Amino acid sequence: MTLTNSEENYLKAIYHLSDGGKKGVSTNDIASSMKTKPASVSDMLRKLGEKEVINYRKYYGVQITEEGRNYALQVIRKHRLWEVFLVDKLKFNWDEVHEVAEQLEHVRSPLLTQRLDEFLNFPKFDPHGDPIPDEFGDVKARPRIALNDMEVNAAGQIVAVKDSSAAFLRYLDKVGAYIGARVKLLDKVEFDGSVEILVDQKTLFMSKDVASNILIVVT
């Protein structure tokens, strides 16, 4: 079975919105994610249903099938491997790679994906800290919490970001909050939820919104 690029994009969005296939997704949520109208979503859902990668029942939302989940994971695998390649080998900044990887993820060559994985020495995470599914679709996630959920005086390491928009990543570059940086939570401000943190021996103040988008492995 082969999906079109557009069908792959929808399937990937449904996978993410469904928390890896654990819950149903509404057509409105899909429309919002894909920046399109619900009527266009309905037409695409019909096509994906005919290819048996999703199930749709009124009032229960869209459920991704096991075959659909496996297909989505392979698209995600290619996307994240290409992001590693662009950052590590072509020296793109981490805020520049998403759009390019969106195009490269649709290359339909299992051998190319395998060779790319080997060339990169089998990376486990992309430049934004998201886990890379292996060739069998297995995802090795690691326990992590949002920065603003840490206890005061707790320490850890930045391992991922929830928001991978270019503007947010440029902000993190500016303040030095990169993937792999060591952090310690010094204080939480009760009034607005902002935090004071120590990043590589530098004190920073962050809003609640920023801190909630930075993921930490506590050590």
Side-chain angles (χ1 to χ4, degrees):
M1 178 191 61
T2 300
L3 304 184
T4 66
N5 290 5
S6 182
E7 289 169 342
E8 288 186 349
N9 288 336
Y10 268 86
L11 188 62
K12 186 175 65 168
I14 294 168
Y15 173 85
H16 287 308
L17 290 168
S18 66
D19 190 21
K22 297 175 186 175
K23 62 183 182 182
V25 182
S26 72
T27 54
N28 285 337
D29 285 343
I30 298 170
S32 177
S33 175
M34 299 302 296
K35 297 180 175 58
T36 189
K37 297 178 180 179
S40 300
V41 172
S42 297
D43 184 53
M44 178 59 72
L45 294 182
R46 178 184 56 78
K47 295 177 182 177
L48 293 175
E50 290 173 353
K51 294 187 178 182
E52 300 183 345
V53 290
I54 63 157
N55 291 317
Y56 175 65
R57 287 194 299 160
K58 197 172 183 180
Y59 306 120
Y60 290 89
V62 179
Q63 294 273 359
I64 195 166
T65 66
E66 186 63 24
E67 184 175 8
R69 181 179 181 276
N70 292 335
Y71 197 112
L73 283 166
Q74 290 308 310
V75 177
I76 292 167
R77 167 176 164 78
K78 288 185 286 183
H79 181 102
R80 293 178 179 172
L81 283 172
W82 281 118
E83 287 194 334
V84 174
F85 175 78
L86 292 167
V87 169
D88 288 1
K89 304 303 179 181
L90 298 188
K91 306 307 177 186
F92 278 69
N93 293 326
W94 68 338
D95 61 292
E96 298 174 325
V97 296
H98 182 73
E99 296 291 333
V100 182
E102 282 283 305
Q103 301 170 52
L104 293 169
E105 71 184 25
H106 299 298
V107 176
R108 296 176 179 87
S109 170
L111 180 58
L112 175 60
T113 305
Q114 179 186 336
R115 295 283 173 83
L116 179 63
D117 196 19
E118 293 173 358
F119 178 69
L120 297 171
N121 198 26
F122 308 102
K124 302 300 182 190
F125 299 93
D126 73 10
H128 311 111
D130 292 315
I132 299 173
D134 66 17
E135 61 183 311
F136 305 107
D138 291 329
V139 182
K140 298 203 174 359
R142 48 191 167 185
R144 54 198 191 176
I145 63 172
L147 174 57
N148 62 320
D149 289 332
M150 293 174 67
E151 299 291 335
V152 173
N153 292 321
Q157 185 176 40
I158 299 175
V159 295
V161 292
K162 289 182 184 178
D163 184 347
S164 58
S165 66
F168 184 68
L169 297 178
R170 284 194 295 268
Y171 168 78
L172 294 185
D173 277 338
K174 182 178 179 180
V175 300
Y178 56 90
I179 299 293
R182 299 287 307 169
V183 299
K184 182 178 181 180
L185 184 64
L186 300 178
D187 192 23
K188 291 183 182 180
V189 179
E190 184 179 355
F191 174 69
D192 61 0
S194 60
V195 297
E196 179 184 2
I197 62 172
L198 192 67
V199 181
D200 289 346
Q201 307 307 311
K202 181 172 66 173
T203 301
L204 297 174
F205 293 89
M206 287 183 172
S207 70
K208 181 180 178 180
D209 284 345
V210 170
S212 67
N213 277 292
I214 297 175
L215 298 176
I216 306 291
V217 168
V218 177
T219 54

